[in-house]
Amino acid sequence: MFTGIIAAVGKISHAQPLEQGLRLTIEAPGLKLADVAIGDSIAHGGVCLTVIAKKKTSYQIDVSRETLDCTVGLDTVGGEVNLEKAMRLSDFIGGHLVSGHVDGVGDVEKFEPVGESHELVIKAPKALAKYIARKGSITVDGVSLTTNRVGGKGGRRFSINLIPHTIAVTTLKRLHAGAKVNLEIDLIARYVERMLTAGAA
């Protein structure tokens, strides 16, 4: 589990093709790796992946073809990714409960400065629209954010206000209209739906 509070921004420095996927080397000088063990989980742009090798300021992860096919941002050497180590039960939850399992890829329709902040407008996949609520939580490329407005046809379009700090410490600063982002819906919304529909069959 994660909180969606980004600890550092890493860079994909090498990608080794595997039979079904890629082995990535992540350069992460800003992430404290001393307490990271082989087998630990780290979220990369919202995607939970397992550390298989480690050096002082870098580590390796394997990404399956299935994961590559349903996410964005993990197949480009030189690309940057938001990083967060898995939370401990004693950790302060500054964002919201995040599983690191991407539910879909959204399309950025607008990313523009508004005063000191930025407005980010994203169109979600149709299947995810019902889980996105005004003033609710959503994870965008691993970042825990709050939706300001929800609308558009089918309620698929939502907007977020990004404060200067978020822009400064995450990869969201590089977004633009036409970009694609990893989305994870609120975990609570997923379970509420399950409880409401469990007896419907």
Side-chain angles (χ1 to χ4, degrees), residues 80-91:
E80 292 184 329
V81 286
N82 294 317
L83 301 176
E84 181 191 354
K85 293 187 288 188
M87 64 179 290
R88 295 178 172 86
L89 287 178
S90 59
D91 285 346

Side-chain angles (χ1 to χ4, degrees), residues 60-129:
Q60 290 186 318
I61 52 174
D62 285 348
V63 189
S64 69
R65 173 49 52 190
E66 180 179 355
T67 297
L68 291 169
D69 288 344
C70 65
T71 63
V72 293
L74 294 174
D75 58 356
T76 304
V77 174
E80 292 184 329
V81 286
N82 294 317
L83 301 176
E84 181 191 354
K85 293 187 288 188
M87 64 179 290
R88 295 178 172 86
L89 287 178
S90 59
D91 285 346
F92 175 76
I93 302 176
H96 70 284
L97 292 177
V98 175
S99 68
H101 301 154
V102 172
D103 292 299
V105 174
D107 297 301
V108 175
E109 294 191 339
K110 180 181 179 182
F111 181 66
E112 295 180 0
V114 179
E116 297 79 19
S117 300
H118 278 70
E119 182 185 17
L120 174 62
V121 178
I122 298 172
K123 185 178 181 181
K126 183 178 180 180
L128 300 187

Side-chain angles (χ1 to χ4, degrees), residues 2-4 93-98 137-139 144-145 184-186:
F2 305 90
T3 68
I93 302 176
H96 70 284
L97 292 177
V98 175
S137 297
I138 193 162
T139 309
S144 172
L145 298 167
E184 181 184 333
I185 59 172
D186 184 21

Side-chain angles (χ1 to χ4, degrees), residues 157-176:
R157 187 173 289 104
F158 62 95
S159 67
I160 294 168
N161 180 69
L162 298 177
I163 63 173
H165 176 76
T166 303
I167 294 293
V169 301
T170 71
T171 63
L172 300 185
K173 66 173 71 70
R174 312 210 189 288
L175 293 180
H176 55 84

